[in-house]
Amino acid sequence: MRVLVLGGDGYLGWPTAMHLSARGHEVMAVDNYLRRNLARETDCEILFETPNLHQRARLWHQHAGREIAVRLGDLAEWPFIASVFEEFRPEAIVHYAEQPSAPYSMLDRSAAELTLKNNLGVTFNVIQAMSELAADAHLVKLGTMGEYGTPNIDIEEGWLTVEHKGRSQKFLYPRAAGSLYHTTKVLDTDLLWFYVRVWGLRVTDLMQGPVYGLETEENAGIEALYPCFAYDELFGTVLNRFIVQAVAGYPLTVYGKGGQTRGYLNLKDTLQCIRLSIDSPAAPGELRIFNQFVETFSVNDLAEKVRASGARLGLDVRIGRLANPRKEMEEHYYNPAHTGLLELGLEPHPLTDEVLDGMVALVQRYSNRIVPDRIFRGVAWRK
Ligand SMILES: NC(=O)c1ccc[n+]([C@@H]2O[C@H](COP(=O)([O-])OP(=O)(O)OC[C@H]3O[C@@H](n4cnc5c(N)ncnc54)[C@H](O)[C@@H]3O)[C@@H](O)[C@H]2O)c1
């Protein structure tokens, strides 16, 4: 299949491009380096340099003998995205191309505006481009489990049947996001659902939890093919950050009571979920929603696991308790369904001691690159 990977330079986008290419798909990766530029502007550079997207594609070709086409430009600009669709005529589109950080979206007015306009702008353009230039294509869109928030009832996979005064109707599951970034994902879902209803688009919206990890089948041991690994407060995901903190001897940044519970998954499982979604597409006029995670942990669980891993590897890991800069529940009920991707064939990689120790050992190789000032700055969810 011809698969367009939007946001193909990102933490998930580059591994996805290689993974799909390795399985025989024709892949085009598109990016505008927003992530790299924001990291530079906010002094949130990643743990180690990664080659640019053209260089990555060349390295992949040398390594695997397969081509990944690369186009650079802003997908929120209509002429650019239209030219990409016209040239490539995708059969499947993986849409990662958004500003993905909750704290960045809460930093100040201009960061909030960028997040809102960029995320909605790209999603809107993808919808328009599909309708005009790739009507039969299947969109695999990255949402987030954060769309649901932390309701006091079980979280279903995307939809909830409501019985009301003797009648019943299926609705999108109620959403209550905890940051502007997460709210843009809610708005994306609403926009997609509207165009699925009126234009019959085929869409899979993946409510993904925080991802951890670095190595995949395609890049194992080849540092130049690793994805960008952020450990700063703005762009790093929690387990990746805790591992770097452990290696740096920085007390793990647990916010408040640490009972915040979320669904997590290994980068390897993100790749499986995307591939499985592409291989069994949504039907025309279907908004299919999967909850994309493998296991749930509280922040305290993760901190304890990292401390134990550190102890096994000779590190003295301390757990810090910080006043919570976010507005969120620190102890809550959390029971989300996640059977859809398992039914499609997902074979999860759980967070075993071995997996965690492997990640800590890998990060130890880069310990001299860690800049402790990047670890915590306390972006507050102020009024
Ligand atoms: N990483 C996670 O744990 C996680 C969890 C849940 C959901 N997600 C979602 O998955 C997607 C990918 O996440 P990620 O961690 O790889 O983020 P990332 O920032 O590393 O990747 C996103 C890529 O999209 C590009 N991009 C953004 N706006 C663009 C535009 N207008 N034009 C062209 N390219 C643009 C960025 O430059 C970046 O390379 C995001 O939508 C994110 O919200 C990620």
Side-chain angles (χ1 to χ4, degrees), residues 58-274:
R58 277 198 294 277
L59 287 163
W60 174 244
H61 184 244
Q62 284 162 16
H63 173 70
R66 303 196 60 88
E67 305 271 354
I68 293 177
V70 170
R71 297 291 178 272
L72 296 180
D74 184 352
L75 293 157
E77 298 288 337
W78 175 251
F80 174 69
I81 192 171
S83 73
V84 166
F85 271 70
E86 249 158 16
E87 176 193 358
F88 191 64
R89 297 281 167 184
E91 291 160 286
I93 301 137
V94 183
H95 171 15
Y96 287 127
E98 301 205 349
Q99 188 302 97
S101 158
Y104 179 81
S105 76
M106 302 301 286
L107 196 56
D108 55 28
R109 193 201 55 79
S110 93
E113 184 181 10
L114 182 151
T115 305
L116 186 73
K117 289 187 173 164
N118 184 68
N119 294 4
L120 269 295
V122 175
T123 299
F124 178 74
N125 275 351
V126 169
I127 291 166
Q128 298 297 324
M130 284 174 72
S131 136
E132 286 188 26
L133 301 160
D136 288 335
H138 170 218
L139 174 63
V140 177
K141 159 74 170 55
L142 264 290
T144 156
M145 286 299 292
E147 292 189 33
Y148 302 118
T150 49
N152 200 30
I153 59 171
D154 289 358
I155 296 174
E156 304 303 328
E157 284 196 274
W159 302 92
L160 186 70
T161 301
V162 176
E163 310 273 346
H164 184 62
K165 296 184 178 173
R167 301 177 71 82
S168 102
Q169 167 82 39
K170 197 168 97 174
F171 292 99
L172 280 173
Y173 190 95
R175 278 93 28 89
S179 76
L180 178 70
Y181 151 68
H182 291 99
T183 300
T184 65
K185 295 290 196 184
V186 171
L187 298 171
D188 280 343
T189 299
D190 278 327
L191 203 56
L192 291 167
W193 177 216
F194 172 67
Y195 283 108
V196 163
R197 292 198 308 273
V198 297
W199 287 349
L201 300 184
R202 310 150 74 102
V203 178
T204 300
D205 200 351
L206 297 170
M207 302 300 154
Q208 184 175 242
V211 182
Y212 58 83
L214 196 55
E215 289 210 311
T216 68
E217 220 175 289
E218 290 73 30
N219 70 19
I222 311 168
E223 186 186 306
L225 293 177
Y226 282 174
C228 51
F229 190 85
Y231 64 94
D232 61 277
E233 175 185 330
L234 295 186
F235 298 103
T237 49
V238 57
L239 183 57
N240 290 351
R241 293 178 60 215
F242 278 2
I243 289 170
V244 171
Q245 291 167 12
V247 170
Y250 194 105
L252 305 187
T253 55
V254 172
Y255 295 168
K257 294 182 184 146
Q260 301 91 326
T261 304
R262 304 287 184 265
Y264 292 85
L265 74 165
N266 191 309
L267 176 58
K268 292 176 181 165
D269 291 339
T270 293
L271 304 186
Q272 280 192 71
C273 293
I274 299 289

